[in-house]
Amino acid sequence: MDAVGNTTAPVYGIAAEFQSARDLYHAAEKIREAGFSKWDVFSPFPIHGMDEAMGLKRSILGKVVFFGGLTGFLTAVSLEFGTSSFLYPLIVAGKPTNLYTVPAFFPVMFELTILLSAFTAVFGMLIMNGLPRLNHQLFNWERFKKVTEDKFFVAIESEDPKFSTRSVKDFLESLGGTNITTIHGD
Amino acid sequence: MSNATAEHPEHLTEDEKQLVRQPLVLNKRTMGWISDYISSIVEGKTPTWWYVSMAITVPLTLMCLALLGYLISTGVGVWGNNHPIGWAWDITNFVFWIGIGHAGTLISAILFLTRQKWRTSINRAAEAMTLFAVVCAGIYPALHVGRVWMAWFLAPVPNANAIWQNFRSPLLWDVFAVSTYFTVSVLFWYTGLIPDLATLRDRCTTKIRKFIYGVLALGWRGGNRQWRHYEMAYLILAGLSTPLVLSVHSVVSFDFATSVIPGWHTTIFPPYFVAGAIFGGFAMVLTIMIPACAIYKPLHDLVTIDHVDKMCKIILLTGSIVGYAYLMELFIAWYGANPYEKAAFWYRAFGPYWWAYWSMMFCNVVAPQIFWFKYFRTHLIWVWVIVQFPNAGMWFERFVIIATTLARDFTPSAWGMFHPTWVDVCTFIGTFGLFTTLFLLFIRFLPMICMFEVKAVLPEADPHHGEAH
């Protein structure tokens, strides 16, 4: 079995290459059934139904974004009422400065809700994905560069409680994986 | 219909063949081909046509910037704005450019939510167009205020007398709407770019490219544990952008609709502005995509005639909505029995600006009707020529709304005409230079087609591809 990275450094995991989305999907189902927990599949595009195949739950990002949006909304409410009703009530065109002025405040409330939701969605996604992170053990493997083109990979991490070099290699081979490689850190 | 039969149409009867959808990617292109070809546009030697185009557009951009410098140093009087026409080409051009941006967001967000998979090959370029159009648009409101160094008065901070902004003013809503729109469009666009930047990173041969694309790709690895959150983020951004894009032009229309000027004070403005924006925006998408695909011919396998056909249908639909709005405005002007409203529309059609009104009518309502004929929707030269009418027509529409209305106010003593100065004209031409320069830079340095999304609509991307259903 090939090894990449600094072979004296700790093993990150064992990775295998697959040729199609279908092969990767079925491999993922079998890895899940075998009870591994620290592993991932890598593909050039999101594969429909892969979350179920891997046994992953729906991303919680949507719930996080709700609170981002709520922050935006409350920011707008306090900015508008705080300044126009309390700090410096400004009477323009005879419009009220109390709660009745709320229809005129809707556009800014709406925009800030959207703005903060969008920021939360993007930065929340990056944080949940552990990005930005410019180095990774998998980048030590030259073949892994094809993951953004047309190849599919599986990596089972050494931190997985069921991990053992011998058995994982045989297991990945039995799933039809090729170019099975041990990935070391730097 | 299963994929297996769709790939082997020879087994089908004539009736069944009618039901087979055109594949989204022609000539059975593979994932590798998509990466190779789209990336090669960015990685290859800079073509001569690019330098030639830049040699035209960069001086125009510089002219625009120089004239803005002249405007700031001399005053807003270098433009032809006068009394009564205080909003003239500046706001016309602002609404024109911001409207163009809307098609990009429509393609990226609304067509995403409605699962229109054909959008994948055009969304990247259309979103880039949105950003560049909003950049051009943003120039005008920022600079038409006269004392540009006071533009920070627009930001929600108190001025020297501790007076805060008037949050009930549509002009302030506009500031929030346009800046939110730009920011969210940047986030949406960049999020979509991350996996493709990773593709460019992984293909790099030189150190400097590797560094730049490596940093921009943020370390993307394409693991499903990443895609899971990524797809959710993309869905949420699409869901947020959809009401946002509808709100932006609605808010822009409030600038007019909440005033008491006859011809502006109408409730039809928000939907009519949004339909017009999508109409003009799709015309601009076609205006730039047709030449781009003519230069990079293999792109015709990704941006097919079918795409052009669909976009022409959207132009036809939105153009007809705009035409309906024009007629409804006229009807209400008559039926509303308000003499000022009636007069405003009479002067639009038969007053001193009759030529602008009828140009608008012809370009926006009559010309696109030719898209009822499939021949004109599927022949690229014809399409390109015809979409120039909406491009021009939408500019005329904004000019008609702004200038003709202000030119004929309530009392004849307040009537006047607008005459653009050379600065008006050259600044406007310059914004096209800026727009095109930014687009050329985009084509040269970033993948103009969303590679990972196009790969995901290939038949072999389906994890059950080739299995019995």
Side-chain angles (χ1 to χ4, degrees), chain B residues 32-42 203 295-299 302:
Chain B
W33 182 85
I34 291 166
S35 287
D36 283 341
Y37 187 70
I38 308 291
S39 306
S40 72
I41 296 173
V42 177
R203 297 169 53 93
I295 291 165
Y296 296 108
K297 285 211 168 55
L299 289 184
L302 304 176

Side-chain angles (χ1 to χ4, degrees), chain B residues 303-447:
Chain B
V303 183
T304 63
I305 293 290
D306 207 32
H307 286 90
V308 176
D309 181 47
K310 285 190 168 91
M311 286 193 266
C312 290
K313 284 178 183 165
I314 292 179
I315 289 178
L316 177 60
L317 171 72
T318 49
S320 303
I321 295 174
V322 167
Y324 167 79
Y326 293 162
L327 297 179
M328 187 49 77
E329 272 190 322
L330 294 178
F331 171 74
I332 293 295
W334 166 75
Y335 187 68
N338 177 333
Y340 296 104
E341 188 81 5
K342 225 181 251 182
F345 283 90
W346 178 265
Y347 284 124
R348 272 191 194 175
F350 304 110
Y353 285 112
W354 61 271
W355 48 270
Y357 184 82
W358 293 108
S359 303
M360 166 190 97
M361 275 291 188
F362 179 77
C363 293
N364 291 350
V365 185
V366 181
Q369 299 303 320
I370 203 164
F371 282 146
W372 285 105
F373 301 100
K374 195 176 170 114
Y375 180 86
F376 294 100
R377 295 197 307 266
T378 49
H379 288 76
L380 295 180
I381 304 226
W382 274 110
V383 171
W384 198 86
V385 170
I386 294 163
V387 296
Q388 300 316 310
F389 287 99
N391 279 337
M394 286 314 289
W395 188 88
F396 276 115
E397 180 197 295
R398 279 65 179 250
F399 181 75
V400 164
I401 290 173
I402 293 168
T404 69
T405 307
L406 293 173
R408 288 291 177 270
D409 204 342
F410 291 98
T411 51
S413 61
W415 290 1
M417 291 289 284
F418 172 74
H419 301 283
T421 63
W422 65 274
V423 184
D424 274 309
V425 178
C426 294
T427 309
F428 183 48
I429 294 170
T431 55
F432 280 94
L434 175 63
F435 177 78
T436 322
T437 304
L438 291 170
F439 200 79
L440 288 167
L441 288 170
F442 159 70
I443 287 184
R444 188 72 202 95
F445 294 107
L446 291 170

Side-chain angles (χ1 to χ4, degrees), chain B residues 129-165:
Chain B
M129 182 200 77
T130 295
L131 296 180
F132 307 149
V134 178
V135 167
C136 292
I139 290 173
Y140 286 100
L143 287 143
H144 89 298
V145 293
R147 299 182 203 172
V148 181
W149 49 97
M150 299 295 215
W152 64 273
F153 271 35
L154 297 166
V157 284
N159 71 12
N161 297 320
I163 302 175
W164 285 77
Q165 283 65 34

Side-chain angles (χ1 to χ4, degrees), chain B residues 2-64:
Chain B
S2 73
N3 279 319
T5 35
E7 276 164 38
H8 302 287
E10 62 273 17
H11 305 310
L12 302 174
T13 65
E14 275 306 309
D15 283 349
E16 281 172 330
K17 272 182 194 166
Q18 299 258 313
L19 293 171
V20 177
R21 283 201 183 174
Q22 277 281 322
L24 291 167
V25 176
L26 301 183
N27 291 336
K28 301 212 164 129
R29 297 298 194 180
T30 62
M31 294 178 194
W33 182 85
I34 291 166
S35 287
D36 283 341
Y37 187 70
I38 308 291
S39 306
S40 72
I41 296 173
V42 177
E43 290 161 349
K45 201 167 155 290
T46 309
T48 316
W49 68 264
W50 192 84
Y51 285 116
V52 174
S53 313
M54 285 293 263
I56 299 164
T57 63
V58 171
L60 287 176
T61 309
L62 295 175
M63 175 177 80
C64 180

Side-chain angles (χ1 to χ4, degrees), chain A residues 26 39 41 57 59 90 96, chain B residues 168 202 224-225 228-229 467:
Chain A
H26 293 309
W39 61 286
V41 299
K57 288 203 202 72
S59 168
L90 202 63
Chain B
R168 284 157 291 179
D202 289 345
N224 192 57
R225 287 173 202 271
R228 181 166 81 104
H229 298 304
E467 293 171 10

